[in-house]
Amino acid sequence: MEKEDLCNLLKERLWQVNKLEITAALRDFTEGETAALACLYKEGEQMTPSQISDSLNISRARITCILTTLRKKELVVMEMSAEDRRKMLVKLTAKGREVMSEKLSRLDSLLAIYVDAVGSGSAEQLAEILKKAVDCHDDVMKKFNAASLPD
């Protein structure tokens, strides 16, 4: 297949994947409130707002809004750091851990159904292809950005 045809096929498949409900379920873990909860859940349940912001690659202002909402929902609490009183620590509440556990359980169930549907061999191949895409991403973006710079 010619490179241009392959690029068009990749665009089409990525567009189709983006419209799937499973992609929306995964996106929930990378954006907004669920992403912040997942970050805390994964990283040991205690982080500064800046650490969460950096981890999710979102602005400090956006994480402040997210944390305010999560506090109102009683999913996180914020406490002053004992070591450095200038820092605030964000911690999951029991309710926050329960919400994340339920969300992860639902996602795991959905992914298990997908593995059954496509077969474990295909799922493994897809995981390896996605890993390869992630591994080369930085180099691809460096080349793309270098090519985009004006002379």
Side-chain angles (χ1 to χ4, degrees), residues 2-148:
E2 296 291 324
K3 192 175 202 175
E4 182 179 344
D5 294 334
L6 188 54
C7 289
N8 286 331
L9 179 61
L10 283 171
K11 273 192 291 191
E12 180 61 27
R13 293 296 183 255
L14 289 170
W15 181 253
Q16 290 170 339
V17 166
N18 190 52
K19 295 191 300 185
L20 295 174
E21 288 180 45
I22 190 169
T23 305
L26 289 168
R27 194 176 299 117
D28 190 35
F29 284 86
T30 63
E31 299 174 355
E33 295 172 20
T34 301
L37 288 174
C39 187
L40 285 163
Y41 192 85
K42 179 181 164 189
E43 299 296 329
E45 302 182 11
Q46 177 177 298
M47 299 174 77
T48 66
S50 295
Q51 289 171 323
I52 299 169
S53 173
D54 292 344
S55 178
L56 299 178
N57 197 27
I58 60 175
S59 72
R60 303 290 197 264
R62 178 75 181 114
I63 200 62
T64 299
C65 291
I66 290 169
L67 293 176
T68 298
T69 302
L70 291 174
R71 277 196 336 254
K72 288 179 183 174
K73 292 180 178 181
E74 300 178 345
L75 301 177
V76 300
V77 293
M78 293 184 70
E79 300 172 355
M80 201 171 298
S81 169
E83 294 88 37
D84 184 348
R85 298 188 57 80
R86 296 170 296 170
K87 289 185 180 179
M88 293 297 291
L89 295 176
V90 183
K91 298 179 182 184
L92 280 177
T93 62
K95 183 178 177 182
R97 281 188 295 281
E98 183 180 327
V99 166
M100 270 315 300
S101 182
E102 289 172 11
K103 286 180 176 274
L104 287 169
S105 179
R106 286 185 50 79
L107 180 61
D108 289 344
S109 295
L110 179 58
L111 290 172
I113 293 168
Y114 261 89
V115 168
D116 290 343
V118 301
S120 60
S122 293
E124 198 170 321
Q125 286 177 332
L126 177 59
E128 285 303 312
I129 291 168
L130 291 172
K131 182 184 182 315
K132 187 179 280 190
V134 168
D135 289 347
C136 73
H137 181 264
D138 287 346
D139 288 339
V140 168
M141 293 312 297
K142 283 178 189 170
K143 289 177 184 175
F144 177 76
N145 290 331
S148 299

